Amino acid sequence: MEQEEKQAKRNNIRKQMKNKREALRDEQVTDLSQMLTEAVVSHYDFLKAKNILIYRNTGKEARTDGIIAYAFMLGKRVFIPRVEGKTMDFYEIHDIHECVSGFRGIPEPPEEAKKFVFLKETQEEDVLMILPGLSFDKQGNRLGYGGGYYDNYLKNNPACRKMGIGYDFQIVGEIPVCEWDQPVDIVITEKQVILPE
């Protein structure tokens, strides 16, 4: 598939998914997010991980506050992303209310928060990154918002389990893949758990 054709298909999927998500009513977002939270917090990868790297939702994205609260309850360390220029890093929070409005109005950790660092002895199963996405396919490919922040982070920090989460309608047959795309190890929606081939 030519690069231009591939990008056109990717942009078309992005547009469709944004429209479908925006059409959700607030109570649907609440209900679907609750079901998704239950599926995530009962999953082996979540229970095993000591460190949870997770986004804070914005707009009608699948909500993550319930997952974060559960992680705290289980004594896990929680890190959320902060974007600075072209790079993104994860910083520790101890309470969801510590967050401040940041890049594009997305809640971010405060300035003084401690950065997450992968150490040589860091085991892959000790760290679970929970990623947002506009779309996923059953091969574990993820289509983000186009900024490349997560792909760049994962290219430089591969030692973690990667869980993509979203609504079931965000699963498509196939996402055209670019060379910089970083696939996820598992996809969870409110209806299914997808383990890529």
Side-chain angles (χ1 to χ4, degrees):
M1 196 185 290
E2 290 300 316
Q3 199 60 35
E4 283 177 18
E5 189 190 344
K6 196 182 272 186
Q7 278 303 351
K9 283 196 168 180
R10 285 163 70 95
N11 289 338
N12 190 36
I13 295 171
R14 279 195 182 103
K15 191 177 170 186
Q16 280 181 356
M17 292 303 163
K18 278 181 180 172
N19 289 342
K20 279 187 175 181
R21 210 170 60 185
E22 280 311 303
L24 290 172
R25 298 187 312 277
D26 286 346
E27 58 268 27
Q28 287 178 296
V29 174
T30 301
D31 291 348
L32 295 175
S33 296
Q34 179 60 39
M35 290 156 74
L36 188 53
T37 296
E38 287 167 15
V40 170
V41 302
S42 60
H43 191 273
Y44 174 82
D45 285 348
F46 178 84
L47 295 169
K48 181 98 173 87
K50 296 172 183 158
N51 305 286
I52 305 293
L53 279 52
I54 187 169
Y55 71 98
R56 288 291 313 276
N57 58 281
T58 182
K60 294 192 177 174
E61 279 183 326
R63 293 180 186 154
T64 56
D65 289 8
I67 299 169
I68 293 170
Y70 211 85
F72 284 139
M73 199 174 77
L74 293 177
K76 298 177 185 297
R77 296 178 73 189
V78 176
F79 301 82
I80 64 169
R82 181 162 70 219
V83 170
E84 286 159 344
K86 291 280 180 201
T87 62
M88 178 183 81
D89 278 300
F90 285 80
Y91 295 84
E92 188 165 15
I93 59 166
H94 303 91
D95 186 308
I96 212 149
H97 302 296
E98 286 175 22
C99 299
V100 294
S101 180
F103 177 70
R104 293 181 182 160
I106 300 166
E108 290 188 346
E111 280 296 317
E112 66 278 8
K114 188 177 170 186
K115 184 172 156 181
F116 181 77
V117 180
F118 284 89
L119 305 171
K120 278 198 175 76
E121 60 270 22
T122 303
Q123 299 292 310
E124 184 180 302
E125 65 270 18
D126 287 345
V127 185
L128 175 66
M129 182 187 287
I130 298 178
L131 295 88
L134 279 168
S135 191
F136 300 92
D137 66 18
K138 294 202 171 186
Q139 291 71 51
N141 298 308
R142 169 187 168 270
L143 188 61
Y145 296 87
Y149 294 104
Y150 281 90
D151 292 321
N152 287 335
Y153 187 89
L154 288 166
K155 190 176 74 180
N156 298 320
N157 301 285
C160 67
R161 294 285 292 162
K162 300 171 287 293
M163 178 187 285
I165 66 169
Y167 307 119
D168 208 62
F169 64 73
Q170 291 176 269
I171 307 299
V172 296
E174 187 184 0
I175 289 171
V177 178
C178 293
E179 65 274 11
W180 57 82
D181 286 341
Q182 301 288 320
V184 296
D185 301 303
I186 184 168
V187 181
I188 296 187
T189 75
E190 77 279 6
K191 288 185 179 171
Q192 58 181 327
V193 173
I194 299 165
L195 292 167
E197 299 305 310

